[in-house]
Amino acid sequence: MLVVFYSHTGNTRTIARHIQALTGCDLLDLEPVTPYPRDYDTVVSQAKKEKQQGFLPPLKNPLDMVSRYDVILVGSPSWWGTFAGPVRTFLSTAALDGKTLIPFITHEGSGLGSAPADLRRLCPSVKTGEGLAIRGSRVDGARQQVESWLRKAGLLPA
Protein backbone atom coordinates (compact mmCIF):
# COMPACT_ATOMS: atom_id res chain seq x y z
CA MET A 1 0.00 0.00 0.00
CA LEU A 2 1.17 3.52 -0.82
CA VAL A 3 0.02 6.93 0.33
CA VAL A 4 0.51 9.61 -2.32
CA PHE A 5 -0.19 13.14 -1.12
CA TYR A 6 0.40 16.82 -1.54
CA SER A 7 0.39 19.06 1.52
CA HIS A 8 0.60 22.83 1.33
CA THR A 9 0.30 23.69 5.04
CA GLY A 10 1.18 20.33 6.62
CA ASN A 11 -2.37 19.16 7.40
CA THR A 12 -2.53 16.51 4.68
CA ARG A 13 0.99 15.37 5.61
CA THR A 14 -0.20 14.84 9.18
CA ILE A 15 -3.02 12.55 7.99
CA ALA A 16 -0.59 10.70 5.69
CA ARG A 17 1.69 10.09 8.67
CA HIS A 18 -1.25 8.83 10.77
CA ILE A 19 -1.97 6.34 7.98
CA GLN A 20 1.68 5.32 7.79
CA ALA A 21 1.89 4.83 11.57
CA LEU A 22 -1.20 2.62 11.53
CA THR A 23 -0.38 0.55 8.43
CA GLY A 24 3.38 0.71 7.87
CA CYS A 25 2.72 1.79 4.27
CA ASP A 26 5.09 3.79 2.10
CA LEU A 27 4.67 7.53 1.49
CA LEU A 28 5.14 9.61 -1.65
CA ASP A 29 5.04 13.36 -0.92
CA LEU A 30 4.32 15.09 -4.24
CA GLU A 31 6.53 18.09 -4.92
CA PRO A 32 5.67 20.57 -7.66
CA VAL A 33 8.64 21.85 -9.66
CA THR A 34 7.58 25.39 -8.78
CA PRO A 35 6.49 25.60 -5.13
CA TYR A 36 3.18 27.28 -4.38
CA PRO A 37 3.19 30.69 -2.67
CA ARG A 38 2.83 30.64 1.12
CA ASP A 39 0.45 33.62 1.17
CA TYR A 40 -3.11 32.30 1.51
CA ASP A 41 -4.87 34.72 -0.86
CA THR A 42 -2.18 34.27 -3.52
CA VAL A 43 -2.34 30.47 -3.45
CA VAL A 44 -6.16 30.51 -3.47
CA SER A 45 -6.13 32.71 -6.58
CA GLN A 46 -3.50 30.57 -8.29
CA ALA A 47 -5.36 27.33 -7.46
CA LYS A 48 -8.59 28.73 -8.89
CA LYS A 49 -6.88 29.75 -12.13
CA GLU A 50 -5.16 26.35 -12.45
CA LYS A 51 -8.45 24.51 -11.95
CA GLN A 52 -10.28 26.70 -14.49
CA GLN A 53 -7.53 26.27 -17.08
CA GLY A 54 -7.01 22.54 -16.43
CA PHE A 55 -3.36 23.26 -15.67
CA LEU A 56 -1.36 20.32 -14.30
CA PRO A 57 1.76 21.57 -12.49
CA PRO A 58 4.89 19.54 -13.30
CA LEU A 59 6.19 17.39 -10.46
CA LYS A 60 9.76 16.78 -9.26
CA ASN A 61 8.84 13.23 -8.25
CA PRO A 62 9.42 10.26 -10.53
CA LEU A 63 6.15 8.32 -10.58
CA ASP A 64 7.40 4.97 -11.92
CA MET A 65 7.60 3.51 -8.39
CA VAL A 66 3.78 3.55 -8.25
CA SER A 67 3.67 0.39 -10.35
CA ARG A 68 4.73 -1.69 -7.30
CA TYR A 69 1.51 -0.95 -5.39
CA ASP A 70 -2.03 -2.29 -5.72
CA VAL A 71 -3.72 0.07 -3.23
CA ILE A 72 -2.97 3.79 -3.24
CA LEU A 73 -4.46 6.27 -0.80
CA VAL A 74 -4.49 9.70 -2.41
CA GLY A 75 -4.34 12.73 -0.10
CA SER A 76 -4.84 16.40 -0.83
CA PRO A 77 -6.01 19.65 0.65
CA SER A 78 -9.34 20.71 -0.82
CA TRP A 79 -8.62 23.44 -3.34
CA TRP A 80 -11.79 24.79 -4.88
CA GLY A 81 -13.68 21.68 -3.81
CA THR A 82 -11.32 19.11 -5.31
CA PHE A 83 -7.73 17.88 -5.40
CA ALA A 84 -4.83 20.34 -5.40
CA GLY A 85 -2.95 20.71 -8.70
CA PRO A 86 -0.05 18.36 -7.86
CA VAL A 87 -2.52 15.57 -7.04
CA ARG A 88 -4.42 16.17 -10.28
CA THR A 89 -1.07 15.88 -12.09
CA PHE A 90 -0.39 12.57 -10.37
CA LEU A 91 -3.86 11.20 -11.16
CA SER A 92 -3.56 12.31 -14.79
CA THR A 93 -0.03 11.07 -15.51
CA ALA A 94 0.80 8.05 -13.32
CA ALA A 95 0.18 4.50 -14.58
CA LEU A 96 -2.78 3.62 -12.35
CA ASP A 97 -4.87 1.19 -14.44
CA GLY A 98 -6.27 -1.68 -12.37
CA LYS A 99 -5.24 -0.21 -9.01
CA THR A 100 -7.48 0.69 -6.08
CA LEU A 101 -7.43 4.39 -5.23
CA ILE A 102 -8.96 5.82 -2.08
CA PRO A 103 -9.03 9.59 -1.51
CA PHE A 104 -8.58 11.57 1.67
CA ILE A 105 -9.04 15.32 1.84
CA THR A 106 -8.19 17.95 4.42
CA HIS A 107 -10.50 20.94 4.32
CA GLU A 108 -12.10 23.73 6.31
CA GLY A 109 -15.70 23.17 5.34
CA SER A 110 -15.97 21.64 1.87
CA GLY A 111 -15.63 18.00 2.90
CA LEU A 112 -14.72 15.67 0.03
CA GLY A 113 -16.30 18.09 -2.46
CA SER A 114 -16.05 16.75 -5.99
CA ALA A 115 -12.85 14.79 -5.31
CA PRO A 116 -14.48 11.30 -5.54
CA ALA A 117 -16.20 12.16 -8.84
CA ASP A 118 -13.02 13.82 -10.15
CA LEU A 119 -11.02 10.72 -9.19
CA ARG A 120 -13.38 8.51 -11.21
CA ARG A 121 -13.26 10.95 -14.14
CA LEU A 122 -9.46 11.24 -14.17
CA CYS A 123 -8.88 7.52 -13.56
CA PRO A 124 -11.76 5.58 -15.12
CA SER A 125 -9.91 2.24 -15.07
CA VAL A 126 -9.29 2.08 -11.32
CA LYS A 127 -11.35 0.80 -8.44
CA THR A 128 -12.20 3.44 -5.86
CA GLY A 129 -13.01 3.28 -2.18
CA GLU A 130 -14.91 5.52 0.19
CA GLY A 131 -13.00 8.70 0.89
CA LEU A 132 -12.22 10.46 4.15
CA ALA A 133 -12.58 14.18 4.82
CA ILE A 134 -10.94 15.76 7.86
CA ARG A 135 -10.98 19.39 8.87
CA GLY A 136 -7.50 20.81 8.73
CA SER A 137 -7.94 22.31 12.18
CA ARG A 138 -8.54 18.80 13.59
CA VAL A 139 -5.79 16.73 11.97
CA ASP A 140 -3.63 16.38 15.07
CA GLY A 141 -6.44 14.61 16.95
CA ALA A 142 -7.72 12.62 13.97
CA ARG A 143 -5.77 9.38 14.42
CA GLN A 144 -8.77 7.45 15.76
CA GLN A 145 -10.97 8.71 12.89
CA VAL A 146 -8.28 7.64 10.41
CA GLU A 147 -8.02 4.23 12.07
CA SER A 148 -11.81 3.70 11.86
CA TRP A 149 -11.80 4.68 8.19
CA LEU A 150 -8.93 2.28 7.42
CA ARG A 151 -10.77 -0.56 9.21
CA LYS A 152 -13.98 0.18 7.31
CA ALA A 153 -12.01 0.13 4.05
CA GLY A 154 -10.57 -3.28 4.97
CA LEU A 155 -7.03 -1.94 5.19
CA LEU A 156 -6.64 -2.83 8.89
CA PRO A 157 -7.87 -5.92 10.72
CA ALA A 158 -11.37 -5.50 12.16
Side-chain angles (χ1 to χ4, degrees):
M1 187 167 62
L2 175 68
V3 174
V4 174
F5 69 97
Y6 171 72
S7 189
H8 184 254
T9 65
N11 291 335
T12 308
R13 180 177 293 106
T14 296
I15 299 302
R17 287 184 178 156
H18 286 326
I19 295 167
Q20 183 183 44
L22 290 161
T23 66
C25 69
D26 293 330
L27 297 179
L28 175 59
D29 186 349
L30 299 174
E31 294 181 68
V33 170
T34 304
Y36 283 89
R38 299 310 301 168
D39 176 71
Y40 178 80
D41 291 332
T42 305
V43 79
V44 166
S45 176
Q46 181 175 337
K48 181 179 184 180
K49 183 187 294 185
E50 287 180 1
K51 181 181 176 190
Q52 290 172 335
Q53 295 175 351
F55 177 74
L56 299 174
L59 300 174
K60 289 182 185 180
N61 311 75
L63 301 179
D64 55 337
M65 66 166 302
V66 171
S67 65
R68 300 192 309 247
Y69 301 91
D70 295 321
V71 176
I72 302 173
L73 284 73
V74 181
S76 179
S78 178
W79 284 8
W80 292 98
T82 192
F83 297 108
V87 176
R88 290 194 320 274
T89 299
F90 167 76
L91 294 172
S92 299
T93 61
L96 300 171
D97 291 354
K99 300 190 181 299
T100 298
L101 273 60
I102 306 172
F104 64 96
I105 299 289
T106 56
H107 66 95
E108 284 305 334
S110 62
L112 285 168
S114 65
D118 292 340
L119 176 61
R120 289 188 296 278
R121 180 180 51 77
L122 292 168
C123 303
S125 60
V126 304
K127 292 179 259 176
T128 60
E130 184 178 333
L132 173 69
I134 300 205
R135 282 192 177 270
S137 58
R138 297 183 183 152
V139 297
D140 290 332
R143 186 179 165 118
Q144 185 173 17
Q145 185 179 356
V146 170
E147 184 174 356
S148 295
W149 171 67
L150 291 169
R151 284 192 199 291
K152 186 176 179 183
L155 300 174
L156 287 178

